[in-house]
Amino acid sequence: MKVADLFKFRTPEIRALHLTWIAFFITFYVWFNMAPLASSMLKSVDWLTPDDIKLFAICNVALTIPARIIVGMALDRFGPRRVFSVLMVLMSIPALVFAFGNSMTQLLVARLVLSSVGASFVVGIHMTALWFKPKHIGFAEGFYAGWGNFGSAAAAMTLPTIALTWYGGPEGWRWAIAQSAIVMAAYGVFYWFAITDGPDAKAHRKARKAMAMEVSSWADMIKLILWTIPLVGVLGILVWRIQNLGYLSTTGATIAYLVIAAVVLYQVVQILRVNVPILKKGVPEDDKYSFNSVAALNSTYFANFGAELAVVSMLPMFFEQTWGLTAAAAGLIASSFAFVNLVARPMGGLVSDRLGNRRFVMLSYMFGIGIGFVLMGLLNAKWPLVIAIAITIFTSFFVQGAEGATFGIIPSIKRRITGQISGMAGAYGNVGAVVYLTIFTFVTPTQFFFIIATGAFLSWLICLVWLKEPEGAFDEEYYVSSVDRMIEEQELAAARAKPQQG
């Protein structure tokens, strides 16, 4: 696949790609529609405080992690067209409630529920995997993610103007947020009718059980449990932060911790219920896959996307304080981290396609991230600003290229559970952000960069040991196992039986 192919809009798969990245773009635009308008909110609503805004920011990512897991399960059962459309329409409701909320409770609950829209990323990953062949998937996924992810930067650049110029007045921020919600809902309805789950009915292969990821061995089941616990357990950090801000009592925090523990237990039970019967029966050789590769890619997304989310939130202040820049200049320089996404992420997928060795590309990018953040850790006021900007762009290139390389591998691991694997890896990106941002409250920026570099090198080591080159990663079609064919035959038999029953 060439870059020029992106302009062949009449080609079904290219049309699907553009429809899907636009959907992702809109959802991220809505997800990040508060931060650019925070100052307007404080001026307009006299009872709001800066600490309230900080609390909303925490709530804005709180449910993204469990939502990505749940959405991953829904994808494998219902397909991405339905899931994406329903997600966009449903999430417009809390966005509108937040826009016109007039109490702390309304704003808090609305932002908490709206955080689920961050799960949109894994929906498009699955949809793109249904439309593109294995040999082209890296570039297609990279383009989807790079351009869709730019929705957050677009929100920062346009929402203040929309609020102040288009609508004006103290309530302008409300109408700007409401407008983004209405656009998302309308596009959700349009998306339902504009696209299908792949070029034909066979493209979307359903998992046997959607409540938990299938594995191929008893050892892999233990690993799945161990890698599942942090996905929900990390919410304990968010509870702790909210309690420290004074918005949650000791009793409330205790209840929240118990709920988190109950959810973890429920997840473990589901893993056992799905996999114990499968493993007792025995997994056919042609249907086996290594969970080690899934774990390795969880670690890469923790270390690359987690780092991106964390660094983007502290980079403006770092440049402002280190080189004595104005807030506007520092923000403009820091935004280069997001702009690089437009090119670096698709390039990461393209390189993965072209080199013919996805594992090598993944290892190279992760090592590059480590080097980049070591260099950023060495930065101080003595360094020329232009060199600091160049190092930032260099690091961003590897961070976002690694994100593209991660999802260039995922669709080839196990076709029918691509949604769940994408959901898990995507969730680990948010886990990384929560962990890194929590660490940042205790360390200096220099120490922070070195810690992120350490995370990247650890992920590189995990990939070196565990990550395997996916079989058939550059084939014309995805591998179909005996179990895939069995599930397809059962579905056809069930479809034939329905008219007879009627």
Side-chain angles (χ1 to χ4, degrees):
M1 184 177 176
K2 300 175 182 177
V3 175
D5 292 337
L6 292 171
F7 299 98
K8 297 177 180 177
F9 300 110
R10 293 185 179 180
T11 307
E13 62 267 26
I14 298 299
R15 181 173 179 271
L17 178 61
H18 288 300
L19 286 171
T20 303
W21 80 255
I22 291 169
F24 178 35
F25 178 97
I26 293 170
T27 57
F28 261 47
Y29 189 99
V30 172
W31 190 21
F32 291 98
N33 64 12
M34 182 192 73
L37 300 172
S39 58
S40 297
M41 291 173 63
L42 289 170
K43 292 174 185 175
S44 168
V45 185
D46 53 13
W47 47 265
L48 267 184
T49 67
D51 280 344
D52 293 333
I53 298 295
K54 288 179 183 177
L55 177 62
F56 295 155
I58 294 171
C59 290
N60 205 42
V61 297
L63 295 185
T64 309
I65 297 167
R68 285 190 171 188
I69 302 167
I70 294 166
V71 164
M73 295 175 183
L75 282 172
D76 291 332
R77 181 166 184 177
F78 301 109
R81 177 184 68 94
R82 293 176 180 176
V83 174
F84 221 153
S85 296
V86 170
L87 185 68
M88 284 188 276
V89 173
L90 285 182
M91 287 299 106
S92 67
I93 298 171
L96 287 169
V97 172
F98 186 83
F100 299 110
N102 53 20
S103 72
M104 183 64 182
T105 302
Q106 288 176 351
L107 294 179
L108 184 69
V109 173
R111 210 70 225 177
L112 189 65
V113 175
L114 184 58
S115 67
S116 300
V117 81
S120 60
F121 168 69
V122 299
V123 187
I125 285 289
H126 194 57
M127 177 63 88
T128 306
L130 294 181
W131 277 96
F132 287 85
K133 298 180 184 298
K135 63 180 182 179
H136 297 146
I137 194 64
F139 179 63
E141 297 286 23
F143 180 83
Y144 156 77
W147 284 72
N149 201 48
F150 194 68
S152 58
M157 290 187 288
T158 61
L159 278 171
T161 302
I162 292 171
L164 298 173
T165 307
W166 287 18
Y167 295 108
E171 302 292 296
W173 68 271
R174 294 185 183 275
W175 291 103
I177 289 176
Q179 177 182 294
S180 68
I182 292 167
V183 169
M184 182 170 70
Y187 195 83
V189 174
F190 167 74
Y191 193 80
W192 180 283
F193 297 103
I195 199 168
T196 57
D197 288 332
D200 55 56
K202 292 182 179 180
H204 174 59
R205 295 189 176 276
K206 294 183 179 181
R208 283 184 287 193
K209 300 285 185 180
M211 294 308 293
M213 192 185 298
E214 297 174 33
V215 292
S216 302
S217 70
W218 295 101
D220 280 356
M221 186 176 73
I222 300 300
K223 291 172 191 171
L224 174 59
I225 290 171
L226 293 175
W227 281 86
T228 298
I229 292 170
L231 289 176
V232 183
V234 74
L235 296 177
I237 295 176
L238 296 176
V239 172
W240 170 72
R241 289 182 67 185
I242 293 170
Q243 186 182 9
N244 279 359
L245 286 171
Y247 291 100
L248 197 60
S249 65
T250 303
T251 304
T254 302
I255 293 170
Y257 290 133
L258 290 172
V259 169
I260 290 168
V263 173
V264 169
L265 183 62
Y266 174 78
Q267 287 286 103
V268 171
V269 169
Q270 291 304 316
I271 291 170
L272 295 172
R273 286 181 64 185
V274 167
N275 285 290
V276 169
I278 292 173
L279 295 174
K280 280 185 175 179
K281 185 177 179 181
V283 180
E285 283 298 322
D286 72 334
D287 196 54
K288 289 182 178 179
Y289 75 99
S290 173
F291 182 80
N292 284 353
S293 290
V294 178
L297 295 174
N298 289 344
S299 79
T300 65
Y301 217 61
F302 179 104
N304 54 48
F305 188 66
E308 180 188 348
L309 289 182
V311 169
V312 163
S313 67
M314 56 76 67
L315 209 52
M317 188 175 292
F318 171 70
F319 274 100
E320 185 178 346
Q321 293 179 348
T322 306
W323 284 275
L325 303 176
T326 63
L332 187 63
I333 292 169
S335 69
S336 64
F337 215 91
F339 274 98
V340 171
N341 211 2
L342 293 172
V343 177
R345 194 151 181 171
M347 188 175 289
L350 185 62
V351 170
S352 181
D353 288 343
R354 293 284 173 86
L355 285 188
N357 189 323
R358 299 196 190 278
R359 179 178 180 272
F360 173 76
V361 172
M362 190 77 258
L363 286 167
S364 301
Y365 269 115
M366 293 312 299
F367 198 80
I369 292 174
I371 298 296
F373 279 116
V374 166
L375 291 173
M376 289 187 74
L378 297 174
L379 293 175
N380 56 48
K382 296 177 182 178
W383 287 64
L385 181 59
V386 66
I387 299 297
I389 295 171
I391 289 173
T392 300
I393 292 173
F394 168 86
T395 306
S396 176
F397 178 85
F398 277 97
V399 167
Q400 286 150 16
E403 294 165 7
T406 297
F407 282 91
I409 296 174
I410 282 176
S412 299
I413 293 176
K414 191 66 184 169
R415 177 69 163 166
R416 70 173 179 270
I417 56 170
T418 295
Q420 291 179 73
I421 297 173
S422 299
M424 190 174 204
Y428 259 99
N430 290 84
V431 172
V434 171
V435 171
Y436 283 141
L437 284 171
T438 303
I439 291 171
F440 182 60
T441 60
F442 300 103
V443 299
T444 65
T446 296
Q447 292 169 330
F448 186 58
F449 291 135
F450 284 137
I451 288 168
I452 292 178
T454 302
F457 285 131
L458 286 173
S459 174
W460 176 85
L461 190 61
I462 291 170
C463 287
L464 186 67
V465 177
W466 278 357
L467 184 61
K468 294 181 178 179
E469 180 70 17
E471 292 182 20
F474 300 94
D475 290 350
E476 284 290 332
E477 300 295 340
Y478 287 97
Y479 178 74
V480 179
S481 73
S482 58
V483 175
D484 291 323
R485 289 190 291 272
M486 179 193 73
I487 293 170
E488 186 179 338
E489 288 166 5
Q490 288 173 347
E491 288 178 354
L492 287 172
R496 291 193 200 100
K498 280 183 180 179
Q500 294 174 6
Q501 290 172 358

